[in-house]
């Protein structure tokens, strides 16, 4: 059966057999870096294509249909265009911060990939506080956005960045509390342990009502955290031209754009890991033959299937709901999501202590 | 207690209305082959010439019969009905065989570039002299080409239309 674990083990044993340990580690770093960067570019191409197709079909259109077979090379053409475009820096901008901001946003989304588990035994860094690491690092991206808005020296950019700050700071709370619910259930912050704990069923299914509620809250909160419609106030193209990246062009704009899509991928991967069992195949109690059939599907296929399903749900939101006003947005968080998730966490704790979950 | 009930019913009705919206777009996504209504112009140009839906409004035209007669009496009701001054009726006085003067149109001037295809003129016309045509390729190189005279040269009002 196809398994990424064998490949990584093979590479690592070969490296340690032929090089001294320090160099083996360095070579591993390089391999991981190249893999992450290529995953980035592939994700960018695939997700943007997917978004445009989903959007078109939901709006009774066809989507891209000119470049390549049925328009599938459209994003490649767009990327080439962005690469050859000039990346302007406006005269009145704070040049250093202006040029730094896209890279901060980019690096943050790369770093969050570290604890993700892409398949069985295929993980960059199995840190014992994996989930905490993800929530902590993901909030750094707001600094990149604020930096971009402030350094652009443009009122629209600044307004967009301020909105984004308010939004991410508030929604981080309920996203964190939703994640905590699963941490309470599984009793661990380590991504691999959380996935192991779902071998006999996903938390969404065996966590009773609290897991379902926290899943819904998690999806809403991460949609807000990634600045996606209906919470795309930071961009709000009809009010703020393009929000914090109004002044960006060429590859610097592309970095923001790419980071947005990679962030979606990362948060959906986190959601899939916590609620849908990550790479864990779909198992039902003690139906052994059914479980064995499920095991034949490679774990990477399970992981990417679940992640792309969640990405589809988030795209579905975007092309269905109208944008919220800033006060409605904050009302939703502070008056609804936060109290509900606090109460929900309490409920989950009671269930976990009493051992009522399956 | 009523506060909590209000709060919960807000949450539930909110979720329900969001799900209604998602069900519609989800249906569009799954059945996109059937629901897609976007015309693939210019790929299907011939198809579009063959037939657009009846309610498609392309341009105001005046219908003439085989004797080069139309039904416009020059009452200017359409000119008054038009919200943006697209229509200008120039009237003249014809002599009837009995030697009486009778009002008739000289020119029905129609500025296509101003028309919003709102259909109000057609509704206003008491004799149904004008109607909406289905043609849609209106671009020209000279703006003056868009100012049209709708009654054909030498045409006159049909007998008996008052
Ligand atoms: S369709 Fe509307 S805008 Fe056009 S001529 Fe008639 S009344 Fe005027
Ligand atoms: S087109 Fe109809 S409404 Fe307009 S002037 Fe002629 S008869 Fe009157």
């Amino acid at each position: 059966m196809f398994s990424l674990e064998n490949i990584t083990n093979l590479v690592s044993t070969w490296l340690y057999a032929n090089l001294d340990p320090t160099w083996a580690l360095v070579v591993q770093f390089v391999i991981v870096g190249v893999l992450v960067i290529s995953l980035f570019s592939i994700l960018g191409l695939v997700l943007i294509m997917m978004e445009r197709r989903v959007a078109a079909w939901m709006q009774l259109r066809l989507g891209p249909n000119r470049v390549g077979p049925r328009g599938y090379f459209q994003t490649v053409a767009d990327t080439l265009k962005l690469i050859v475009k000039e990346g302007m820096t406006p005269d009145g901008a704070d040049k250093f911060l202006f040029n730094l901001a896209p890279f901060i946003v980019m690096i943050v989304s790369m770093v969050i990939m570290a604890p993700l588990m892409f398949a069985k035994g295929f993980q960059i860094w199995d840190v014992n506080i994996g989930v905490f690491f993800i929530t902590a690092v993901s909030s750094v991206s707001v600094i990149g956005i604020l930096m971009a808005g402030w350094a652009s020296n443009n009122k629209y950019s600044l307004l967009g960045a301020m909105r984004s700050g308010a939004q991410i700071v508030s929604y981080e709370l309920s996203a964190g509390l939703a994640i905590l619910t699963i941490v309470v259930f599984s009793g661990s912050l380590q991504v691999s342990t959380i996935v192991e704990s779902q071998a006999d069923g996903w938390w969404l299914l065996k966590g009773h009502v609290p897991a379902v509620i926290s899943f819904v809250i998690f999806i809403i909160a991460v949609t807000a955290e990634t600045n996606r419609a209906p919470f795309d106030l930071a961009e709000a193209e009809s009010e703020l031209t393009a929000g914090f990246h109004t002044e960006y062009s060429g590859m610097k704009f592309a970095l923001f754009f790419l980071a947005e899509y990679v962030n979606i991928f990362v948060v959906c991967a986190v959601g899939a890991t916590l609620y849908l069992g990550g790479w864990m195949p779909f198992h039902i109690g003690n139906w052994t033959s059914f479980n064995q059939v499920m095991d034949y599907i490679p774990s990477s296929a399970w992981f990417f299937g679940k992640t792309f399903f969640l990405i589809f749900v988030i795209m579905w939101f975007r092309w269905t709901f109208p944008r919220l006003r800033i006060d409605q947005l904050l009302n939703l968080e502070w008056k609804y999501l936060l109290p509900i998730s606090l109460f929900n966490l309490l409920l989950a704790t009671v269930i976990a202590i009493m051992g009522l979950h399956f | 207690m009523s506060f909590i009930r209000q709060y919960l019913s807000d949450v539930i009705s909110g979720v329900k209305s969001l799900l209604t919206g998602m069900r519609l777009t989800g249906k569009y996504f799954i059945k996109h082959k059937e629901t897609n209504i976007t015309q693939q112009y210019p790929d299907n140009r011939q198809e579009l010439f063959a037939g657009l839906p009846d309610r498609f409004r392309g341009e105001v035209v005046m219908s003439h019969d085989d004797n080069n007669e139309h039904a416009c009496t020059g009452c200017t009701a359409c000119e008054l009905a038009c919200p943006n001054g697209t229509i200008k009726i120039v009237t003249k006085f014809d002599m009837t065989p009995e030697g009486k003067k009778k009002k008739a149109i000289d020119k029905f001037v129609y500025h296509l570039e101003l028309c919003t295809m709102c259909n109000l003129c057609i509704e206003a016309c008491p004799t149904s002299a004008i109607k909406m045509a289905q043609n849609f390729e209106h671009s020209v190189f000279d703006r003056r080409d868009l100012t049209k005279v709708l009654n054909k040269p030498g045409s006159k009002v049909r007998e008996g239309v008052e």
Side-chain angles (χ1 to χ4, degrees):
Chain A
M1 196 176 64
F2 171 76
S3 158
L4 288 169
E5 194 177 16
N6 301 343
I7 302 174
T8 48
N9 286 342
L10 217 69
V11 172
S12 139
T13 25
W14 186 85
L15 281 176
Y16 278 102
N18 290 287
L19 297 168
D20 70 276
T22 329
W23 280 107
L25 198 63
V26 170
V27 173
Q28 279 182 338
F29 279 159
V30 172
I31 294 177
V32 164
V34 170
L35 281 182
V36 167
I37 290 173
S38 29
L39 181 68
F40 245 68
S41 27
I42 293 169
L43 273 182
L45 293 179
V46 171
L47 287 181
I48 293 172
M49 192 67 223
M50 175 175 165
E51 168 111 271
R52 295 185 65 174
R53 200 59 87 188
V54 169
W57 286 357
M58 285 188 179
Q59 297 179 334
L60 309 180
R61 298 183 280 116
L62 280 187
N65 63 350
R66 294 286 142 183
V67 187
R70 313 192 69 200
Y72 277 105
F73 294 161
Q74 182 67 49
T75 44
V76 181
D78 287 346
T79 316
L80 285 179
K81 182 203 77 177
L82 281 172
I83 287 173
V84 297
K85 259 174 94 172
E86 183 189 359
M88 296 243 290
T89 309
D91 245 356
D94 183 330
K95 304 226 164 43
F96 177 68
L97 290 186
F98 185 84
N99 289 316
L100 183 64
F103 293 99
I104 293 207
V105 175
M106 191 74 180
I107 288 168
V108 166
S109 32
M110 281 194 182
V111 170
I112 321 178
M113 280 204 177
L116 287 184
M117 210 165 188
F118 293 96
K120 190 166 186 234
F122 193 75
Q123 192 179 18
I124 299 172
W125 184 32
D126 193 13
V127 58
N128 59 358
I129 50 161
V131 177
F132 178 64
F133 178 86
I134 290 168
T135 41
V137 174
S138 68
S139 48
V140 177
S141 77
V142 70
I143 293 178
I145 290 176
L146 277 175
M147 204 182 262
W150 179 257
S152 296
N153 198 6
N154 170 330
K155 61 186 169 203
Y156 296 124
S157 306
L158 185 59
L159 269 176
M162 288 303 182
R163 284 180 179 188
S164 168
Q167 180 178 328
I168 295 183
V169 166
S170 23
Y171 276 83
E172 205 118 81
L173 281 172
S174 38
L177 287 172
I179 290 176
L180 269 188
T181 314
I182 297 304
V183 171
V184 165
F185 277 140
S186 61
S188 169
L189 285 166
Q190 194 168 1
V191 172
S192 55
T193 323
I194 292 179
V195 175
E196 293 296 340
S197 71
Q198 305 182 66
D200 55 341
W202 307 341
W203 281 122
L204 187 62
L205 302 177
K206 59 177 186 167
H208 300 300
V209 183
V212 177
I213 294 178
S214 80
F215 178 67
V216 172
I217 289 174
F218 179 80
I219 289 287
I220 296 173
V222 297
T223 313
E225 263 194 80
T226 46
N227 286 325
R228 297 269 305 174
F231 308 106
D232 59 343
L233 290 150
E235 285 180 45
E237 66 274 15
S238 47
E239 302 156 31
L240 303 176
T241 59
F244 63 91
H245 57 57
T246 306
E247 299 289 352
Y248 285 87
S249 56
M251 217 41 216
K252 281 182 251 167
F253 165 74
L255 286 186
F256 275 121
F257 203 55
L258 206 58
E260 181 190 328
Y261 281 94
V262 175
N263 277 334
I264 297 166
F265 174 80
V266 170
V267 295
C268 288
V270 173
T273 308
L274 293 178
Y275 296 94
L276 304 178
W279 54 262
M280 205 48 100
F282 184 66
H283 283 171
I284 299 179
N286 38 19
W287 294 16
T288 340
S289 47
F290 176 81
N291 293 350
Q292 265 165 0
V293 172
M294 286 293 153
D295 283 338
Y296 271 104
I297 302 173
S299 55
S300 46
W302 278 107
F303 176 78
F304 281 99
K306 289 166 189 173
T307 308
F308 272 83
F309 170 73
L310 289 184
I311 292 174
F312 173 75
V313 170
I314 282 185
M315 287 181 178
W316 194 356
F317 287 165
R318 171 162 180 183
W319 298 105
T320 307
F321 304 143
R323 183 186 305 131
L324 270 68
R325 271 199 325 263
I326 184 79
D327 60 321
Q328 293 170 331
L329 176 100
L330 295 177
N331 258 350
L332 175 67
E333 163 64 19
W334 295 101
K335 289 195 184 159
Y336 292 91
L337 295 188
L338 189 63
I340 292 176
S341 48
L342 278 172
F343 182 72
N344 189 47
L345 181 61
L346 190 71
L347 205 65
T349 319
V350 170
I351 288 183
I353 290 175
M354 312 278 269
L356 288 177
H357 59 77
F358 302 116
Chain B
M1 222 43 225
S2 79
F3 158 72
I4 291 181
R5 200 177 308 130
Q6 179 68 36
Y7 182 88
L8 288 180
S9 79
D10 277 358
V11 171
I12 291 169
S13 69
V15 169
K16 210 185 277 175
S17 78
L18 292 179
L19 286 181
T20 313
M22 284 179 69
R23 199 171 61 210
L24 185 71
T25 45
K27 201 181 79 195
Y28 286 159
F29 180 81
I30 292 166
K31 298 192 178 169
H32 65 97
K33 284 235 162 60
E34 293 115 79
T35 53
N36 185 353
I37 52 167
T38 308
Q39 298 294 337
Q40 296 306 308
Y41 180 80
D43 291 348
N44 65 347
R45 190 158 171 261
Q46 295 311 324
E47 232 169 89
L48 291 184
F49 283 133
L52 276 163
D54 281 344
R55 58 190 198 135
F56 178 78
R57 301 176 195 152
E59 176 189 20
V60 176
V61 291
M62 184 178 283
S63 29
H64 289 70
D65 61 13
D66 297 339
N67 306 329
N68 203 13
E69 288 174 339
H70 54 72
C72 175
T73 57
C75 70
T76 69
C78 52
E79 184 178 345
L80 294 172
C82 181
N84 35 354
T86 309
I87 297 172
K88 184 85 194 96
I89 309 271
V90 183
T91 51
K92 61 178 181 187
F93 286 98
D94 275 350
M95 280 296 172
T96 53
E98 297 93 63
K100 274 201 270 174
K101 278 209 275 187
K102 188 176 172 237
K103 196 167 146 194
I105 56 163
D106 183 16
K107 274 182 190 164
F108 186 111
V109 184
Y110 170 59
H111 298 273
L112 176 56
E113 78 270 33
L114 297 180
C115 181
T116 56
M117 315 297 164
C118 67
N119 213 35
L120 289 176
C121 52
I122 287 141
E123 308 240 311
C125 179
T127 57
S128 307
I130 44 178
K131 64 172 196 215
M132 275 291 176
Q134 311 253 295
N135 55 333
F136 51 90
E137 287 182 341
H138 289 313
S139 50
V140 288
F141 285 104
D142 189 341
R143 196 162 77 89
R144 280 170 299 186
D145 292 346
L146 293 173
T147 303
K148 302 184 177 184
V149 177
L150 293 191
N151 53 329
K152 288 189 188 152
S155 65
K156 58 183 197 312
V157 61
R158 197 174 299 140
E159 281 303 314
V161 176
E162 288 301 327

